[in-house]
Amino acid sequence: VLAPCRYSLMNGATYPSYLRDVPPEGLIEHWKRYVPSFVVPPFVREIPNDAQVYAYLPVEHIAHHVNDPHVHYHIAGKDALNLMTHKTTKLLANTQDKRPCICKTTHSMGSKGIFAIHTDQDEQDFNRFLEESGNPTFVVTEFVEIARNVACHFFIHPSGDVTWFGSNENRRTPDGDWSTDSAIIMDDQDDLCALQMPFVQDVVRYCQALGFWGFCGIDVLFDGAGKGYLVDVNPRVTGTCPAIMLAHLLRDKYGY
């Protein structure tokens, strides 16, 4: 953390934010100018040993996490999805019996560690990745022909109540591939909320049962028949969350 990540613009001033160095020159002034109602976060360079820390993900050198780090790590794993809900892709015993299939390391992020297995060569590539990565744990799931790829972002309160931030949706590029970027359409938010809330409720019930609370985001794939599959749970501030929070402010203040 040599520089404040994009999440810092939404941290507020109630609690200090850890940053090993000072913010780059001009960044705070930039946020003040363009982010409606921006509150400057107080940055600290050290974490006191007795401090409780709300961590992006469990970090070994932090002595006291707000959430149990073992629970946090478990919920972030792809092997926890089938424990949270039946509305997810089926687990397969291997990569041979049913192809295509999907192989994912349990704690893959940003699509790294995720492979679609169509051929023996694909399987060899995946096995090579496992070997080079230290042989992490992984799951094999059924393949879904995607018609829609949507995500949502929310906050789980200790009571189990949910503060909903919003949704974004990936779109296809002209050549038919899925764009790595996603769209935030404010007029679609109510429909996307209703579409994804059944999946959110399953995730919230599971997290609350384990004592986890805080920021969370999920990814849901829908096939051509409209059936949805929970494929990812991110128990943290997601990369899109600040953009969605900012989109609400820009709409309310400027009418965007």
Side-chain angles (χ1 to χ4, degrees):
V1 282
L2 290 173
C5 65
R6 55 192 162 192
Y7 310 138
S8 299
L9 68 85
M10 53 170 277
N11 284 357
T14 303
Y15 299 103
S17 299
Y18 172 65
L19 183 66
R20 199 169 70 188
D21 204 348
V22 296
E25 183 179 354
L27 179 62
I28 299 299
E29 290 70 23
H30 172 77
W31 283 346
K32 285 181 179 178
R33 181 176 181 182
Y34 291 105
V35 179
S37 306
F38 172 66
V39 176
V40 179
F43 292 108
V44 296
R45 297 192 187 189
E46 295 183 358
I47 300 176
N49 290 332
D50 60 346
Q52 278 197 312
V53 179
Y54 182 86
Y56 174 81
L57 285 172
V59 181
E60 290 182 352
H61 74 262
I62 294 175
H64 304 289
H65 288 75
V66 168
N67 286 300
D68 184 321
H70 300 287
V71 170
H72 199 170
Y73 183 82
H74 165 69
I75 293 172
K78 305 296 186 292
D79 49 349
L81 295 176
N82 291 80
L83 302 175
M84 298 182 189
T85 182
H86 67 277
K87 297 186 286 288
T88 185
T89 49
K90 294 179 181 178
L91 289 174
L92 302 178
N94 55 61
T95 59
Q96 299 289 331
D97 295 340
K98 188 175 182 180
R99 289 182 176 176
C101 60
I102 299 294
C103 290
K104 301 179 181 180
T105 55
T106 56
H107 288 77
S108 57
M109 291 183 67
S111 74
K112 184 178 182 180
I114 301 176
F115 289 74
I117 308 299
H118 295 266
T119 65
D120 289 343
Q121 181 61 53
D122 294 334
E123 185 171 19
Q124 291 173 17
D125 292 341
F126 177 64
N127 288 332
R128 186 180 307 107
F129 174 84
L130 292 177
E131 183 178 352
E132 293 172 352
S133 303
N135 293 311
T137 55
F138 64 93
V139 295
V140 183
T141 69
E142 64 179 336
F143 184 90
V144 177
E145 289 288 351
I146 306 171
R148 297 187 72 179
N149 181 359
V150 296
C152 63
H153 316 269
F154 50 95
F155 188 93
I156 306 170
H157 295 267
S159 64
D161 293 335
V162 172
T163 294
W164 179 268
F165 296 129
S167 295
N168 57 288
E169 183 167 0
N170 285 73
R171 303 295 175 89
R172 288 191 184 276
T173 58
D175 60 5
D177 290 335
W178 287 98
S179 172
T180 55
D181 295 322
S182 62
I184 300 171
I185 309 298
M186 299 308 291
D187 289 344
D188 294 347
Q189 292 301 308
D190 289 343
D191 291 340
L192 289 172
C193 179
L195 189 67
Q196 294 172 279
M197 188 54 71
F199 303 90
V200 171
Q201 291 170 339
D202 286 350
V203 171
V204 170
R205 277 193 292 267
Y206 189 80
C207 290
Q208 188 184 24
L210 296 181
F212 176 87
W213 60 276
F215 288 94
C216 193
I218 66 172
D219 296 335
V220 183
L221 304 181
F222 291 89
D223 61 21
K227 184 177 179 180
Y229 304 84
L230 177 70
V231 295
D232 204 8
V233 172
N234 298 300
R236 55 180 173 80
V237 178
T238 62
T240 310
C241 189
I244 287 179
M245 296 174 74
L246 193 57
H248 285 280
L249 294 173
L250 292 172
R251 180 192 61 184
D252 295 343
K253 183 167 184 176
Y254 301 118
Y256 290 162

